[in-house]
C-alpha cells in the first residue's frame, strides 16, 4: 500500500524520509530521501540540503540539494531549484529558476534502446 505524508506550514522535518507514496511539503524538509513516489513542494514549502532518490519531483516552492529523479522534474511558476539533479526530463514554467547542474538521462526506449548511429 502507498502512503501519504504531509508536512504542514510551520512544521520541519530533518533526517531521513523513506517509503512509497506521496510527500506533500508545505513546511521545511532537510536530509536524505529515498522515495518510491512523488515529492511535491508546495508554494511556501522549502527543501534544503536534500539528497537522495525519488520517482517524481514537482517544485512550486524552493528546493536545494542533490537528487536523482527516475522520472520528470517539474518547476512551476515562481519555483526555484539550486544544486544538482539527475532526471529523465525537466519541465519548467515561465518564471521558474534553476541554478546548478542538470543531467538528463537518454530515453532508453527510443529506437529499441540503442542510441542513434550505433
Amino acid at each position: 500500500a502507498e502512503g501519504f505524508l504531509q508536512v504542514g506550514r510551520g512544521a520541519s522535518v530533518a533526517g531521513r524520509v523513506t517509503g512509497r507514496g506521496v510527500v506533500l511539503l508545505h513546511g521545511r524538509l532537510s536530509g536524505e530521501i529515498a522515495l518510491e513516489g512523488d515529492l511535491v513542494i508546495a508554494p511556501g514549502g522549502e527543501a534544503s540540503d536534500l539528497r537522495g532518490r525519488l520517482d517524481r519531483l514537482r517544485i512550486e516552492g524552493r528546493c536545494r540539494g542533490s537528487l536523482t529523479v527516475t522520472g520528470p522534474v517539474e518547476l512551476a511558476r515562481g519555483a526555484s531549484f539550486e544544486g544538482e539533479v539527475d532526471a529523465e526530463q525537466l519541465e519548467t514554467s515561465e518564471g521558474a529558476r534553476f541554478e546548478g547542474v542538470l543531467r538528463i538521462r537518454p530515453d532508453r526506449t527510443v529506437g529499441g534502446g540503442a542510441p542513434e548511429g550505433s
Side-chain angles (χ1 to χ4, degrees):
E2 293 193 2
F4 178 79
L5 171 65
Q6 180 169 313
V7 179
R9 280 190 175 83
S12 294
V13 174
R16 185 174 169 95
V17 175
T18 63
R20 178 180 293 177
V22 175
V23 174
L24 178 56
L25 181 63
H26 290 279
R28 295 174 181 260
L29 173 65
S30 65
E32 294 181 49
I33 190 164
L35 182 64
E36 291 180 45
D38 301 1
L39 172 60
V40 179
I41 303 171
E46 183 178 344
S48 59
D49 300 320
L50 193 62
R51 58 201 177 282
R53 182 179 194 91
L54 53 145
D55 288 347
R56 286 171 298 283
L57 174 62
R58 177 166 174 82
I59 305 170
E60 299 172 12
R62 295 184 302 185
C63 184
R64 187 177 74 236
S66 179
L67 298 168
T68 298
V69 183
T70 58
V73 173
E74 298 175 49
L75 276 90
R77 182 182 192 104
S80 69
F81 179 88
E82 183 181 331
E84 296 182 24
V85 68
D86 180 338
E88 180 180 277
Q89 67 185 44
L90 175 67
E91 300 172 17
T92 60
S93 296
E94 185 176 340
R97 185 176 72 86
F98 183 97
E99 185 177 325
V101 177
L102 170 65
R103 286 181 293 279
I104 299 292
R105 290 182 307 282
D107 183 348
R108 296 183 180 149
T109 61
V110 174
E116 278 189 47
S118 59

